[in-house]
Amino acid sequence: MSTPLTKWAEKKLRVRSNISRCYRVHPVNLYEHHMVDGYLNGFVNLMEHTCTYRKFQLDRLPCRHALAACNLRRSSCYDYCSRYYHKETLATAYAGSIYPVGPMQEWDVPDDVQSRVVLPPKGRKPSRRPPKKCKPSQGEEFVHRKCGRCGGLGHNRQKCKAPIPLADQNGNP
């Protein structure tokens, strides 16, 4: 890896950086900045690693707004990334030896674990066609449709199964 961060984190930063180039940044002080991104306005505090939209806090990786502030200050965005995204942390995680477990017949499994019955997870219901009628909420009354052709309840003119009258009520064709 040629960059300080993992490939995944570098890709995230690259995408966010491309979006952040069109933001207008107004510095409040050295570490706080006001962002105008076209839709919403927000504040970024680089010292506390916070953003109005909380993406900076959740990912612990600079959000689009933080990257725009870094570009304005001409500072490195890598200084604001969590250490968990650095390649040294990734290398440390896999530094220890990983031994194979061997064939299943040679495993030493305790009796209390072996006696447990493990069932498969409950599956989702398969998707189906939505119902034709909405279900009214508690306390809400259902308004019945009235047909414009036959005057019946529960359907409209398009779903009416009554024969089409040849003459109107006055007897005119």
Side-chain angles (χ1 to χ4, degrees):
M1 290 187 254
S2 60
T3 60
L5 300 181
T6 62
K7 288 180 183 179
W8 180 88
E10 279 293 334
K11 184 178 177 185
K12 281 278 193 192
L13 283 181
R14 192 171 36 251
V15 169
R16 291 176 183 178
S17 180
N18 288 338
I19 296 169
S20 72
R21 289 189 179 143
C22 62
Y23 292 171
R24 286 185 290 154
V25 183
H26 306 287
V28 177
N29 58 37
L30 188 61
Y31 292 104
E32 292 181 272
H33 297 80
H34 178 251
M35 299 290 147
V36 180
D37 62 1
Y39 301 105
L40 301 169
N41 297 337
F43 284 95
V44 171
N45 188 328
L46 294 176
M47 185 120 174
E48 296 177 6
H49 298 246
T50 59
C51 177
T52 305
Y53 305 110
R54 299 189 52 83
K55 189 82 169 170
F56 199 0
Q57 295 94 301
L58 291 173
D59 286 350
R60 299 186 65 159
L61 197 63
C63 63
R64 301 177 299 194
H65 304 100
L67 289 170
C70 287
N71 288 340
L72 178 76
R73 292 185 58 216
R74 304 225 188 282
S75 63
S76 174
C77 63
Y78 298 124
D79 298 337
Y80 302 103
C81 297
S82 172
R83 66 180 177 90
Y84 298 113
Y85 296 112
H86 287 266
K87 66 181 178 184
E88 291 82 20
T89 307
L90 180 68
T92 305
Y94 292 99
S97 300
I98 301 172
Y99 298 102
V101 291
M104 209 162 139
Q105 294 78 16
E106 295 177 7
W107 291 1
D108 185 25
V109 182
D111 290 334
D112 63 324
V113 174
Q114 208 166 18
S115 65
R116 290 185 185 165
V117 177
V118 180
L119 300 173
K122 292 181 181 180
R124 284 184 32 193
K125 286 184 178 180
S127 59
R128 60 186 174 109
R129 185 183 177 118
K132 277 189 168 185
K133 293 181 181 178
C134 295
K135 296 177 183 175
S137 299
Q138 187 175 0
E140 186 179 26
E141 294 183 24
F142 186 75
V143 179
H144 292 282
R145 295 183 185 152
K146 185 175 179 184
C147 179
R149 184 185 303 161
C150 70
L153 296 174
H155 65 277
N156 59 15
R157 175 181 228 113
Q158 292 175 336
K159 301 281 181 176
C160 186
K161 294 184 178 166
I164 300 172
L166 297 175
D168 64 0
Q169 294 175 350
N170 295 335
N172 298 330

PDB file of all heavy atoms in Angstrom, residues 133 142-162:
ATOM      1  N   LYS A 133     -56.850  -3.266  -0.678  1.00  0.00           N
ATOM      2  CA  LYS A 133     -57.431  -2.227   0.164  1.00  0.00           C
ATOM      3  C   LYS A 133     -56.478  -1.900   1.302  1.00  0.00           C
ATOM      4  O   LYS A 133     -55.836  -2.785   1.858  1.00  0.00           O
ATOM      5  CB  LYS A 133     -58.759  -2.687   0.760  1.00  0.00           C
ATOM      6  CG  LYS A 133     -59.847  -2.869  -0.260  1.00  0.00           C
ATOM      7  CD  LYS A 133     -61.126  -3.296   0.412  1.00  0.00           C
ATOM      8  CE  LYS A 133     -62.229  -3.516  -0.604  1.00  0.00           C
ATOM      9  NZ  LYS A 133     -63.457  -3.976   0.026  1.00  0.00           N
ATOM     10  N   PHE A 142     -63.247   3.349   7.467  1.00  0.00           N
ATOM     11  CA  PHE A 142     -62.950   3.161   6.062  1.00  0.00           C
ATOM     12  C   PHE A 142     -64.060   3.815   5.250  1.00  0.00           C
ATOM     13  O   PHE A 142     -65.245   3.584   5.485  1.00  0.00           O
ATOM     14  CB  PHE A 142     -62.867   1.659   5.753  1.00  0.00           C
ATOM     15  CG  PHE A 142     -62.416   1.367   4.358  1.00  0.00           C
ATOM     16  CD1 PHE A 142     -61.090   1.528   3.998  1.00  0.00           C
ATOM     17  CD2 PHE A 142     -63.310   0.949   3.392  1.00  0.00           C
ATOM     18  CE1 PHE A 142     -60.668   1.263   2.720  1.00  0.00           C
ATOM     19  CE2 PHE A 142     -62.893   0.692   2.115  1.00  0.00           C
ATOM     20  CZ  PHE A 142     -61.564   0.844   1.767  1.00  0.00           C
ATOM     21  N   VAL A 143     -63.701   4.642   4.283  1.00  0.00           N
ATOM     22  CA  VAL A 143     -64.673   5.309   3.419  1.00  0.00           C
ATOM     23  C   VAL A 143     -64.923   4.411   2.221  1.00  0.00           C
ATOM     24  O   VAL A 143     -63.994   4.083   1.474  1.00  0.00           O
ATOM     25  CB  VAL A 143     -64.145   6.690   2.957  1.00  0.00           C
ATOM     26  CG1 VAL A 143     -65.131   7.357   2.039  1.00  0.00           C
ATOM     27  CG2 VAL A 143     -63.825   7.553   4.147  1.00  0.00           C
ATOM     28  N   HIS A 144     -66.181   3.992   2.066  1.00  0.00           N
ATOM     29  CA  HIS A 144     -66.524   3.112   0.953  1.00  0.00           C
ATOM     30  C   HIS A 144     -66.690   3.929  -0.322  1.00  0.00           C
ATOM     31  O   HIS A 144     -67.237   5.035  -0.313  1.00  0.00           O
ATOM     32  CB  HIS A 144     -67.827   2.357   1.244  1.00  0.00           C
ATOM     33  CG  HIS A 144     -67.680   1.360   2.356  1.00  0.00           C
ATOM     34  ND1 HIS A 144     -67.081   0.151   2.177  1.00  0.00           N
ATOM     35  CD2 HIS A 144     -68.049   1.409   3.658  1.00  0.00           C
ATOM     36  CE1 HIS A 144     -67.077  -0.516   3.311  1.00  0.00           C
ATOM     37  NE2 HIS A 144     -67.661   0.237   4.240  1.00  0.00           N
ATOM     38  N   ARG A 145     -66.222   3.362  -1.412  1.00  0.00           N
ATOM     39  CA  ARG A 145     -66.384   4.013  -2.708  1.00  0.00           C
ATOM     40  C   ARG A 145     -67.805   3.802  -3.207  1.00  0.00           C
ATOM     41  O   ARG A 145     -68.432   2.792  -2.917  1.00  0.00           O
ATOM     42  CB  ARG A 145     -65.419   3.414  -3.721  1.00  0.00           C
ATOM     43  CG  ARG A 145     -63.997   3.670  -3.405  1.00  0.00           C
ATOM     44  CD  ARG A 145     -63.147   3.105  -4.502  1.00  0.00           C
ATOM     45  NE  ARG A 145     -61.755   3.239  -4.162  1.00  0.00           N
ATOM     46  CZ  ARG A 145     -60.814   2.450  -4.588  1.00  0.00           C
ATOM     47  NH1 ARG A 145     -61.089   1.457  -5.395  1.00  0.00           N
ATOM     48  NH2 ARG A 145     -59.556   2.637  -4.237  1.00  0.00           N
ATOM     49  N   LYS A 146     -68.266   4.746  -3.998  1.00  0.00           N
ATOM     50  CA  LYS A 146     -69.592   4.625  -4.595  1.00  0.00           C
ATOM     51  C   LYS A 146     -69.423   4.665  -6.101  1.00  0.00           C
ATOM     52  O   LYS A 146     -68.756   5.541  -6.643  1.00  0.00           O
ATOM     53  CB  LYS A 146     -70.495   5.767  -4.128  1.00  0.00           C
ATOM     54  CG  LYS A 146     -71.908   5.650  -4.600  1.00  0.00           C
ATOM     55  CD  LYS A 146     -72.773   6.721  -4.021  1.00  0.00           C
ATOM     56  CE  LYS A 146     -74.186   6.579  -4.536  1.00  0.00           C
ATOM     57  NZ  LYS A 146     -75.038   7.653  -4.068  1.00  0.00           N
ATOM     58  N   CYS A 147     -70.006   3.705  -6.760  1.00  0.00           N
ATOM     59  CA  CYS A 147     -69.887   3.589  -8.206  1.00  0.00           C
ATOM     60  C   CYS A 147     -70.707   4.682  -8.882  1.00  0.00           C
ATOM     61  O   CYS A 147     -71.864   4.947  -8.506  1.00  0.00           O
ATOM     62  CB  CYS A 147     -70.372   2.216  -8.657  1.00  0.00           C
ATOM     63  SG  CYS A 147     -70.309   1.973 -10.440  1.00  0.00           S
ATOM     64  N   GLY A 148     -70.134   5.317  -9.899  1.00  0.00           N
ATOM     65  CA  GLY A 148     -70.833   6.356 -10.650  1.00  0.00           C
ATOM     66  C   GLY A 148     -71.814   5.796 -11.661  1.00  0.00           C
ATOM     67  O   GLY A 148     -72.688   6.513 -12.145  1.00  0.00           O
ATOM     68  N   ARG A 149     -71.693   4.515 -12.000  1.00  0.00           N
ATOM     69  CA  ARG A 149     -72.569   3.905 -13.006  1.00  0.00           C
ATOM     70  C   ARG A 149     -73.794   3.270 -12.370  1.00  0.00           C
ATOM     71  O   ARG A 149     -74.931   3.601 -12.694  1.00  0.00           O
ATOM     72  CB  ARG A 149     -71.794   2.853 -13.785  1.00  0.00           C
ATOM     73  CG  ARG A 149     -72.631   2.258 -14.901  1.00  0.00           C
ATOM     74  CD  ARG A 149     -71.957   1.122 -15.632  1.00  0.00           C
ATOM     75  NE  ARG A 149     -70.687   1.552 -16.181  1.00  0.00           N
ATOM     76  CZ  ARG A 149     -69.730   0.713 -16.537  1.00  0.00           C
ATOM     77  NH1 ARG A 149     -69.899  -0.578 -16.398  1.00  0.00           N
ATOM     78  NH2 ARG A 149     -68.592   1.155 -17.012  1.00  0.00           N
ATOM     79  N   CYS A 150     -73.570   2.358 -11.401  1.00  0.00           N
ATOM     80  CA  CYS A 150     -74.690   1.622 -10.824  1.00  0.00           C
ATOM     81  C   CYS A 150     -75.100   2.148  -9.448  1.00  0.00           C
ATOM     82  O   CYS A 150     -76.165   1.796  -8.950  1.00  0.00           O
ATOM     83  CB  CYS A 150     -74.378   0.136 -10.739  1.00  0.00           C
ATOM     84  SG  CYS A 150     -73.139  -0.283  -9.502  1.00  0.00           S
ATOM     85  N   GLY A 151     -74.238   2.963  -8.807  1.00  0.00           N
ATOM     86  CA  GLY A 151     -74.560   3.495  -7.490  1.00  0.00           C
ATOM     87  C   GLY A 151     -74.212   2.554  -6.353  1.00  0.00           C
ATOM     88  O   GLY A 151     -74.462   2.855  -5.191  1.00  0.00           O
ATOM     89  N   GLY A 152     -73.653   1.393  -6.645  1.00  0.00           N
ATOM     90  CA  GLY A 152     -73.287   0.418  -5.625  1.00  0.00           C
ATOM     91  C   GLY A 152     -72.067   0.868  -4.826  1.00  0.00           C
ATOM     92  O   GLY A 152     -71.283   1.708  -5.260  1.00  0.00           O
ATOM     93  N   LEU A 153     -71.900   0.298  -3.625  1.00  0.00           N
ATOM     94  CA  LEU A 153     -70.773   0.634  -2.760  1.00  0.00           C
ATOM     95  C   LEU A 153     -69.663  -0.396  -2.899  1.00  0.00           C
ATOM     96  O   LEU A 153     -69.904  -1.554  -3.229  1.00  0.00           O
ATOM     97  CB  LEU A 153     -71.230   0.694  -1.300  1.00  0.00           C
ATOM     98  CG  LEU A 153     -72.242   1.773  -0.948  1.00  0.00           C
ATOM     99  CD1 LEU A 153     -72.694   1.612   0.496  1.00  0.00           C
ATOM    100  CD2 LEU A 153     -71.650   3.141  -1.159  1.00  0.00           C
ATOM    101  N   GLY A 154     -68.427   0.039  -2.635  1.00  0.00           N
ATOM    102  CA  GLY A 154     -67.295  -0.872  -2.603  1.00  0.00           C
ATOM    103  C   GLY A 154     -66.502  -0.953  -3.895  1.00  0.00           C
ATOM    104  O   GLY A 154     -65.506  -1.645  -3.960  1.00  0.00           O
ATOM    105  N   HIS A 155     -66.955  -0.278  -4.950  1.00  0.00           N
ATOM    106  CA  HIS A 155     -66.198  -0.270  -6.194  1.00  0.00           C
ATOM    107  C   HIS A 155     -66.439   1.051  -6.918  1.00  0.00           C
ATOM    108  O   HIS A 155     -67.287   1.839  -6.521  1.00  0.00           O
ATOM    109  CB  HIS A 155     -66.572  -1.464  -7.078  1.00  0.00           C
ATOM    110  CG  HIS A 155     -67.984  -1.445  -7.565  1.00  0.00           C
ATOM    111  ND1 HIS A 155     -69.047  -1.895  -6.808  1.00  0.00           N
ATOM    112  CD2 HIS A 155     -68.514  -1.014  -8.740  1.00  0.00           C
ATOM    113  CE1 HIS A 155     -70.166  -1.752  -7.488  1.00  0.00           C
ATOM    114  NE2 HIS A 155     -69.867  -1.211  -8.674  1.00  0.00           N
ATOM    115  N   ASN A 156     -65.678   1.288  -7.967  1.00  0.00           N
ATOM    116  CA  ASN A 156     -65.866   2.506  -8.746  1.00  0.00           C
ATOM    117  C   ASN A 156     -66.327   2.148 -10.157  1.00  0.00           C
ATOM    118  O   ASN A 156     -66.540   0.983 -10.480  1.00  0.00           O
ATOM    119  CB  ASN A 156     -64.582   3.346  -8.760  1.00  0.00           C
ATOM    120  CG  ASN A 156     -63.401   2.608  -9.333  1.00  0.00           C
ATOM    121  OD1 ASN A 156     -63.556   1.575  -9.982  1.00  0.00           O
ATOM    122  ND2 ASN A 156     -62.208   3.123  -9.096  1.00  0.00           N
ATOM    123  N   ARG A 157     -66.433   3.144 -11.003  1.00  0.00           N
ATOM    124  CA  ARG A 157     -66.951   2.960 -12.355  1.00  0.00           C
ATOM    125  C   ARG A 157     -66.067   2.004 -13.173  1.00  0.00           C
ATOM    126  O   ARG A 157     -66.576   1.210 -13.963  1.00  0.00           O
ATOM    127  CB  ARG A 157     -67.042   4.327 -13.028  1.00  0.00           C
ATOM    128  CG  ARG A 157     -67.445   4.285 -14.463  1.00  0.00           C
ATOM    129  CD  ARG A 157     -67.474   5.699 -15.044  1.00  0.00           C
ATOM    130  NE  ARG A 157     -68.728   5.844 -15.745  1.00  0.00           N
ATOM    131  CZ  ARG A 157     -69.716   6.641 -15.411  1.00  0.00           C
ATOM    132  NH1 ARG A 157     -69.591   7.448 -14.398  1.00  0.00           N
ATOM    133  NH2 ARG A 157     -70.818   6.678 -16.093  1.00  0.00           N
ATOM    134  N   GLN A 158     -64.750   2.066 -12.968  1.00  0.00           N
ATOM    135  CA  GLN A 158     -63.842   1.215 -13.740  1.00  0.00           C
ATOM    136  C   GLN A 158     -63.970  -0.260 -13.375  1.00  0.00           C
ATOM    137  O   GLN A 158     -63.805  -1.126 -14.219  1.00  0.00           O
ATOM    138  CB  GLN A 158     -62.404   1.654 -13.516  1.00  0.00           C
ATOM    139  CG  GLN A 158     -62.093   3.011 -14.116  1.00  0.00           C
ATOM    140  CD  GLN A 158     -60.682   3.456 -13.774  1.00  0.00           C
ATOM    141  OE1 GLN A 158     -60.107   3.010 -12.782  1.00  0.00           O
ATOM    142  NE2 GLN A 158     -60.146   4.354 -14.583  1.00  0.00           N
ATOM    143  N   LYS A 159     -64.276  -0.568 -12.122  1.00  0.00           N
ATOM    144  CA  LYS A 159     -64.377  -1.960 -11.669  1.00  0.00           C
ATOM    145  C   LYS A 159     -65.816  -2.471 -11.650  1.00  0.00           C
ATOM    146  O   LYS A 159     -66.071  -3.578 -11.182  1.00  0.00           O
ATOM    147  CB  LYS A 159     -63.799  -2.093 -10.256  1.00  0.00           C
ATOM    148  CG  LYS A 159     -62.355  -1.682 -10.138  1.00  0.00           C
ATOM    149  CD  LYS A 159     -61.458  -2.756 -10.645  1.00  0.00           C
ATOM    150  CE  LYS A 159     -60.009  -2.310 -10.498  1.00  0.00           C
ATOM    151  NZ  LYS A 159     -59.082  -3.323 -10.875  1.00  0.00           N
ATOM    152  N   CYS A 160     -66.742  -1.677 -12.131  1.00  0.00           N
ATOM    153  CA  CYS A 160     -68.160  -2.039 -12.091  1.00  0.00           C
ATOM    154  C   CYS A 160     -68.426  -3.228 -13.016  1.00  0.00           C
ATOM    155  O   CYS A 160     -67.999  -3.244 -14.172  1.00  0.00           O
ATOM    156  CB  CYS A 160     -69.016  -0.851 -12.507  1.00  0.00           C
ATOM    157  SG  CYS A 160     -70.787  -1.157 -12.309  1.00  0.00           S
ATOM    158  N   LYS A 161     -69.160  -4.214 -12.478  1.00  0.00           N
ATOM    159  CA  LYS A 161     -69.483  -5.410 -13.253  1.00  0.00           C
ATOM    160  C   LYS A 161     -70.929  -5.405 -13.739  1.00  0.00           C
ATOM    161  O   LYS A 161     -71.355  -6.329 -14.420  1.00  0.00           O
ATOM    162  CB  LYS A 161     -69.219  -6.646 -12.408  1.00  0.00           C
ATOM    163  CG  LYS A 161     -67.741  -6.802 -12.100  1.00  0.00           C
ATOM    164  CD  LYS A 161     -67.439  -8.051 -11.359  1.00  0.00           C
ATOM    165  CE  LYS A 161     -65.928  -8.093 -11.162  1.00  0.00           C
ATOM    166  NZ  LYS A 161     -65.476  -9.038 -10.224  1.00  0.00           N
ATOM    167  N   ALA A 162     -71.667  -4.353 -13.395  1.00  0.00           N
ATOM    168  CA  ALA A 162     -73.052  -4.227 -13.861  1.00  0.00           C
ATOM    169  C   ALA A 162     -73.030  -3.906 -15.352  1.00  0.00           C
ATOM    170  O   ALA A 162     -72.109  -3.265 -15.852  1.00  0.00           O
ATOM    171  CB  ALA A 162     -73.769  -3.130 -13.088  1.00  0.00           C
TER     172      ALA A 162
END
